[in-house]
Amino acid sequence: MSNLAIKAGRKLFERNLEQYQPADPLYETYVDKKGRQRRRKRESPPGLSSRDAKILKSVQRRAHYLDKGFSLCGLRFGWTFIIGIIPGAGDIADATLNYVLVVRKAKQAEIPGWLLRQMLINNALSAGVGFIPIAGDIILAMFKANSRNAALLEEFLRIRGEEFLKAERERVQDPQTVKPGAGREPGEHVPGKQERSASTFGGGWFGRGSKGSKKDKGKVNAAEPSVPAPSPDRGRFVEDVPAIPMSDHHPKQV
């Protein structure tokens, strides 16, 4: 019975911790067909350039190992917690790693200033709490500044991808802030984005003309004067000359 009580208490402790911890930046949980919980890597939001997708994956992977790489009694922690145990120097090392590995990498995605400031605030709170002996390290393990910053970056890039997939007239976010399609290389195709091709304009030797081209052809045909059809008593290639009265062909009687 003691083992069952310990397991029940551990499960309750884990559920309570989930209310205060941010989600894992690298993995997401799902329920399979048998009703069991599984985890898989998060997919990148649609509409991102390959540059932004790589930056997001790198930030998510680094934040995972810094914040949630290990698990003990339902508490997931990472290298920041282990390094932060060292008084003074460990907290400074944590703040440095959080900035160099996560925030500086996120800046490469051309994020706006307000988002960068929010990430720096998370790092500052994490560094300040870390100086509190023992209790600070526990709070730091639950706060997980890197996971929060990775979630901020993911949500911002999700909005950027959604705006890029929309038509320009349907976009609602400020393009100067969101920068839809940022990081695209010349000729790079983003999955989900419908781009115009040459066939759309009726181009190409074997392409069919568009509806507009048919209308234009109809206008041209209407402008051209109609040519009368040849009469049935004439050949196909006989010139259309005025007819001569039959009286002119009779010889005059002397």
Side-chain angles (χ1 to χ4, degrees):
M1 294 295 293
S2 60
N3 292 334
L4 294 176
I6 292 174
K7 290 183 179 180
R10 183 179 299 174
K11 290 293 183 181
L12 180 61
F13 181 62
E14 291 177 0
R15 287 197 297 268
N16 290 333
L17 283 179
E18 289 177 357
Q19 300 177 3
Y20 305 100
Q21 294 182 6
D24 193 313
L26 186 60
Y27 296 97
E28 62 181 0
T29 58
Y30 71 99
V31 180
D32 60 8
K33 296 180 179 179
K34 297 182 179 180
R36 295 177 297 186
Q37 282 194 351
R38 301 286 187 179
R39 73 172 189 169
R40 60 190 173 191
K41 285 189 175 182
R42 296 180 180 272
E43 296 183 359
S44 298
L48 296 183
S49 62
S50 59
R51 185 206 68 177
D52 285 352
K54 290 179 181 178
I55 292 174
L56 179 59
K57 286 296 182 184
S58 179
V59 169
Q60 289 175 332
R61 184 175 60 254
R62 295 176 180 184
H64 169 77
Y65 288 109
L66 286 172
D67 290 346
K68 294 175 175 284
F70 309 98
S71 178
L72 180 62
C73 297
L75 177 64
R76 300 195 64 88
F77 58 93
W79 287 108
T80 54
F81 175 77
I82 297 175
I83 298 174
I85 296 176
I86 305 173
D91 299 321
I92 296 175
D94 278 345
T96 304
L97 289 175
N98 293 349
Y99 175 79
V100 173
L101 297 181
V102 176
V103 178
R104 191 171 69 174
K105 186 67 176 179
K107 288 173 60 178
Q108 298 178 6
E110 303 178 45
I111 59 177
W114 59 265
L115 182 58
L116 176 60
R117 287 191 295 271
Q118 183 60 49
M119 291 182 176
L120 293 176
I121 290 173
N122 289 337
N123 281 0
L125 291 175
S126 177
V129 171
F131 284 102
I132 303 174
I134 302 176
D137 296 327
I138 297 175
I139 297 174
L140 179 63
M142 292 189 298
F143 183 72
K144 294 177 172 47
N146 299 297
S147 298
R148 294 177 185 274
N149 290 340
L152 289 174
L153 178 64
E154 181 182 5
E155 184 61 25
F156 174 77
L157 293 182
R158 187 185 305 279
I159 296 174
R160 171 181 288 177
E162 291 175 353
E163 289 294 294
F164 178 70
L165 294 179
K166 295 177 183 177
E168 291 188 5
R169 62 178 179 273
E170 297 177 355
R171 294 174 180 173
V172 296
Q173 302 292 337
D174 182 15
Q176 299 297 329
T177 302
V178 179
K179 298 181 180 180
R184 289 183 64 200
E185 296 291 338
E188 178 184 347
H189 173 69
V190 177
K193 180 69 173 179
Q194 296 180 357
E195 299 179 355
R196 295 183 178 182
S197 58
S199 59
T200 307
F201 301 93
W205 292 345
F206 304 102
R208 294 183 178 181
S210 61
K211 294 182 180 179
S213 61
K214 288 182 180 179
K215 292 180 180 179
D216 295 340
K217 290 180 181 179
K219 292 179 181 179
V220 173
N221 293 336
E224 293 179 355
S226 58
V227 179
S231 59
D233 58 344
R234 290 187 292 116
R236 183 177 179 184
F237 300 102
V238 177
E239 296 181 359
D240 191 10
V241 295
I244 303 175
M246 295 299 295
S247 60
D248 296 342
H249 290 277
H250 294 289
K252 294 181 179 180
Q253 295 182 359
V254 179

